[in-house]
Amino acid sequence: MNNILIAGVGGQGTILAGRILAAVILEAGYDLKVSELHGMAQRGGSVVTQARWGERVFSPIVARGEADVILAFEKLEALRWLPWLRPGGQMLVNDQRIDPMPVVTGAAAYPEDIPALLMAADAAVTVCDGYALARRSGSPKAVNMVLLGLLSRHLEFPAAAWEDAIRQAGPEKYLPANLAAFRLGSAEQ
Amino acid sequence: MKQLMTGNEAVARGAWEAGVRVVSAYPGTPSTEITENAARYAEIYAEWSPNEKVALEVGIGASVAGGRALTAMKHVGVNVAADPLFTVAYTGVTGGLVLVSADDPGMHSSQNEQDNRHFGRAAKIPVLEPSDSQEAKDFTVAAFSLSEEYDTPVMLRITTRVAHSRSLVELGPRSERPLPPYVKDARKYVMIPAYARPRHAAVEARLTALRELAETTPLNRVEWGDKSVGIVTGGIAYQYVKETQPGASVLKLGLAFPLPRRKITEFAHSVERLYVAEELEDFWEGYLRAWGLPVRGKEIFPWTGELQPETVASALAAETDRPSSPPAPRPAAAADPPARPPVLCPGCPHRGLFYVLSKMRLTVAGDIGCYTLGCLEPLNALDTTICMGASIGAAIGMEKTRGPEFAQKLVAVIGDSTFIHSGITGLIDAVYNKTQTTLLILDNRTTGMTGHQDNPVTGRTLQGEKYREIDLTQLCRAVGVDRVTTVDPFDLKLMEQTLRAELAAAEPSVIIARRKCALIDREAARPPLAVDRDKCTGCFRCMRLGCPCLSRQEKKAVIAGQCVGCGLCSQVCVPGAIVSAGEAGETL
């Protein structure tokens, strides 16, 4: 059984990333369940897409301590979902900070140095500046494609399958930018 | 060819395959996408009704006229539709009639987490409960056959996890069902006491027949495994049981009501230890206990919230020798990270209004919609939120209890769609019973919270066809409100002035705060703003707006993210430090 979480903040493009991942998994012939809660997706709340695949999948949600990979579009969300990572799992973190309202109002503090906190919990952590890479690819808005590229390095699926899925997911005019961003992300160490 | 579908897409597909002609609904998470998807099939007439009661009545009419009909709503919508539901349970159907109740355990986007299996039992109609998208489609088709065969409306109960999870579905063709000739049958459909009494007897006979069906239907199945543990389960809980208890014996109830007593008793006697794993209420467990079966359920499973695979695993691991399959959760690296509650969007027309209400320290009777988010810090502007349409009645009750002076600091706040849903009757009460209610209708030209559905105020149908707009001003005047004004909620000064004038008036008044939702208003995009750091004094008055684009940096305010230039922060900024991004000399 394979378990992945894509965590982020409403409006960051996690849902589209989850759809592309799902298409890639299906193409490989697995049974698949994807769970996403999108009622608040445009309201800046925490959002997560959960994907589970294998021979036969029952639960559509990942249990704590079961995720093989967590792809976090934002640092605080990485910390929030850390307890879902399995021992030895991969935490892929976009180096972006988005203050939640309790931080904006001063009621809470944004934790300092989240990558260090993640590493202290013995997670295999990769931090990626998705925005810088997206800019470098010529499309600053394609951060989600950069991060999908990063994710693709940790999964078994061929690059062609990812690129086909990206081709089918979005409008033609964004395709070159999206593919460039994905390729840059997948080349990131 | 299998297709990846949400439970909601699968319900819509099932309705199409079952030859459904009419789908009616009021939007509500997690049910909304059923109707949006049904509307994509050319053979189906689909509509947004003004509320769930009307939606079900439309479904009933379609059924009486001989067509198959599906009506969808969230769990609390069934409360609104309960009146027709309890009587259509007596009349039965001509064309199959299915009511989808989309429950929200865990309250992802709801005001309560009631378990609507209770409604099925109370109305004495069968309840089907799928566990994934394939079943959501298959059970929808089965529900229509059951409805016609047993002359009963059928409830299809789904939950958020089933509605919003994607899994593979085998598609089938549509079975066309020609309309039978229309036959008037007053004894069946006119529920005067003389005709209703025999119908009640028919309901009881029907329930007896359905109990027999429950014993043999493939909707209920035993999956034998190791007989040391037997688990009665259904819905999403079935998936968590299968995931975490491989090899246990399972009795899966796809027909959640009525129950197969003989089948369950036989199962209970075949296993050493018997459990019921169900989300929320002890609906099934209560029957097993009444039948004297030695069962454990709510001693180990929670009464509240969504089940999780790990809750099922750890509850049963503590009971049995079976290892709990997922490893124990690891402690987080730090103390609980700060929560990230949803917020009003950048450019939201509700923000400025709540800022003014909060500043004026008014008592605010709130309602259901995006604007319920106005209750959160820093706006902290709501005193009550109960249910759809409750704001006006609640304000009237407050005024009648505490008197006219209290009412001068009291407003009711309701959205355009919610006002049409069930606010109008409250406003009629405000006029009829001589109140001085001040009502704010937040008219953002859409049903925002559920994802921008049209409604009678926008005058566009579910298919996007422009027809007649309901004119809110005329409507309020027609029920007897003389003082009706319309204000742009971005104009904070005018809003405050208008509020002061209307609160002072000793009669009911309505202020329509009209501005399009920022997410649909493409014309309104203005250049982003920025803070001139030299002018910013760090007073953080702007932070009281609760805008997600504003944050603190080195004791100054900064604007980042998706600023759409609504200008509220520059209106409240005393030193005038917030200007358009170019003028501030900053790059964003």
Side-chain angles (χ1 to χ4, degrees), chain A residues 106-186:
Chain A
Y110 196 96
E112 296 295 325
D113 202 2
I114 287 177
L117 287 176
L118 297 171
M119 283 180 217
D122 194 25
V125 183
T126 305
V127 181
C128 163
D129 188 344
Y131 181 64
L133 289 175
R135 276 177 71 134
R136 186 133 63 84
S137 81
S139 175
K141 288 193 171 168
V143 175
N144 56 353
M145 295 298 142
V146 169
L147 297 176
L148 265 187
L150 180 64
L151 176 65
S152 73
R153 291 173 50 80
H154 296 271
L155 300 177
E156 61 182 288
F157 310 109
W162 286 98
E163 297 195 0
D164 278 351
I166 291 169
R167 241 172 234 119
Q168 282 159 27
E172 190 82 26
K173 63 175 174 175
Y174 298 127
L175 185 61
N178 282 346
L179 283 179
F182 174 83
R183 284 171 192 157
L184 213 57
S186 63

Side-chain angles (χ1 to χ4, degrees), chain B residues 121 261 282-295:
Chain B
R121 171 166 58 189
R261 180 171 179 175
D282 62 344
F283 187 81
W284 297 324
E285 186 186 337
Y287 282 95
L288 271 64
R289 287 193 190 282
W291 298 333
L293 299 175
V295 62

Side-chain angles (χ1 to χ4, degrees), chain B residues 417-576:
Chain B
S417 188
T418 309
F419 179 68
I420 296 290
H421 177 283
S422 49
I424 300 166
T425 40
L427 186 59
I428 290 171
D429 189 35
V431 174
Y432 173 53
N433 284 307
K434 286 174 63 180
T435 72
Q436 58 183 63
T437 306
T438 303
L439 172 65
L440 278 154
I441 302 178
L442 310 189
D443 180 10
N444 66 347
R445 317 307 294 169
T446 190
T447 313
M449 195 57 160
T450 45
H452 304 106
Q453 291 72 34
D454 277 294
N455 66 52
V457 173
T458 73
R460 277 184 200 280
T461 65
L462 171 52
Q463 289 74 22
E465 187 194 344
K466 186 76 186 170
Y467 192 50
R468 292 186 185 168
E469 286 182 21
I470 301 286
D471 184 326
L472 288 175
T473 305
Q474 277 192 46
L475 181 59
C476 294
R477 285 194 201 285
V479 303
V481 181
D482 292 334
R483 302 179 68 96
V484 184
T485 41
T486 300
V487 179
D488 179 352
F490 274 4
D491 190 338
L492 300 180
K493 262 198 194 122
L494 182 61
M495 181 55 79
E496 189 170 336
Q497 279 168 15
T498 311
L499 270 164
R500 286 194 194 285
E502 299 309 324
L503 284 164
E507 59 181 292
S509 46
V510 173
I511 304 168
I512 300 168
R514 178 171 294 145
R515 179 172 274 275
K516 264 191 192 174
C517 167
L519 296 178
I520 57 170
D521 194 4
R522 296 196 178 85
E523 297 128 46
R526 299 185 219 172
L529 302 177
V531 179
D532 184 333
R533 290 187 61 86
D534 296 335
K535 286 192 187 161
C536 176
T537 58
C539 72
F540 296 132
R541 183 187 286 261
C542 53
M543 295 293 170
R544 294 186 209 159
L545 287 163
C547 176
C549 301
L550 282 160
S551 57
R552 296 158 198 254
Q553 210 173 72
E554 291 153 19
K555 302 195 173 158
K556 306 268 179 175
V558 289
I559 294 175
Q562 305 145 323
C563 174
V564 296
C566 76
L568 289 181
C569 54
S570 67
Q571 283 188 57
V572 305
C573 179
V574 178

Side-chain angles (χ1 to χ4, degrees), chain A residues 19 33-35 37-38 42-43 52 58-59 61 63-65 74 77 80 98 100-101 104-105 109 117 121, chain B residues 33 108 161 164-166 239-240 242-243 308 310 327 330 333 338-340 342-343 345 370 448 546 550 552:
Chain A
R19 301 250 158 104
K33 286 187 178 171
V34 184
S35 184
L37 294 178
H38 46 68
Q42 287 175 310
R43 312 288 180 286
R52 308 188 71 235
F58 290 105
S59 168
I61 56 176
R64 282 174 188 248
E74 197 272 349
E77 297 311 307
R80 194 183 312 287
I98 301 175
M101 199 45 66
V104 172
T105 62
L117 287 176
Chain B
E33 302 83 5
H108 296 283
R161 281 298 163 187
H164 283 174
S165 293
R166 291 167 197 276
Q239 306 291 2
Y240 303 149
K242 292 296 283 185
E243 186 75 43
Q308 311 275 343
E310 56 267 45
R330 303 182 321 153
R340 191 184 299 277
V343 292
C345 304
C370 283
L550 282 160
R552 296 158 198 254

Side-chain angles (χ1 to χ4, degrees), chain B residues 262-468:
Chain B
R262 293 197 302 278
K263 195 182 192 93
I264 292 174
T265 306
E266 190 189 319
F267 179 77
H269 290 154
S270 308
V271 297
E272 283 171 38
R273 276 179 293 187
L274 180 66
Y275 297 92
V276 175
E278 56 190 323
E279 217 165 41
L280 296 177
E281 297 289 293
D282 62 344
F283 187 81
W284 297 324
E285 186 186 337
Y287 282 95
L288 271 64
R289 287 193 190 282
W291 298 333
L293 299 175
V295 62
R296 281 168 71 74
K298 289 300 169 193
E299 297 96 332
I300 60 167
F301 295 114
W303 284 93
T304 60
E306 268 196 306
L307 285 179
Q308 311 275 343
E310 56 267 45
T311 8
V312 172
S314 60
L316 287 166
E319 289 282 306
T320 66
D321 310 328
R322 203 173 283 286
S324 144
S325 79
R330 303 182 321 153
D336 284 346
R340 191 184 299 277
V343 292
L344 296 171
C345 304
C348 177
H350 304 325
R351 175 172 289 108
L353 175 76
F354 284 119
Y355 175 82
V356 172
L357 297 180
S358 187
K359 184 178 159 220
M360 293 173 74
R361 298 178 187 275
L362 300 179
T363 299
V364 180
D367 225 296
I368 305 271
C370 283
Y371 47 93
T372 313
L373 296 172
C375 74
L376 298 178
E377 294 290 349
L379 293 164
N380 194 16
L382 297 186
D383 289 66
T384 64
T385 292
I386 309 295
C387 67
M388 292 286 287
S391 55
I392 307 168
I396 294 169
M398 286 175 162
E399 176 180 338
K400 295 296 182 187
T401 304
R402 302 192 76 94
E405 206 170 308
F406 187 80
Q408 288 184 359
K409 299 280 277 178
L410 169 67
V411 294
V413 168
I414 193 169
D416 49 339
S417 188
T418 309
F419 179 68
I420 296 290
H421 177 283
S422 49
I424 300 166
T425 40
L427 186 59
I428 290 171
D429 189 35
V431 174
Y432 173 53
N433 284 307
K434 286 174 63 180
T435 72
Q436 58 183 63
T437 306
T438 303
L439 172 65
L440 278 154
I441 302 178
L442 310 189
D443 180 10
N444 66 347
R445 317 307 294 169
T446 190
T447 313
M449 195 57 160
T450 45
H452 304 106
Q453 291 72 34
D454 277 294
N455 66 52
V457 173
T458 73
R460 277 184 200 280
T461 65
L462 171 52
Q463 289 74 22
E465 187 194 344
K466 186 76 186 170
Y467 192 50
R468 292 186 185 168

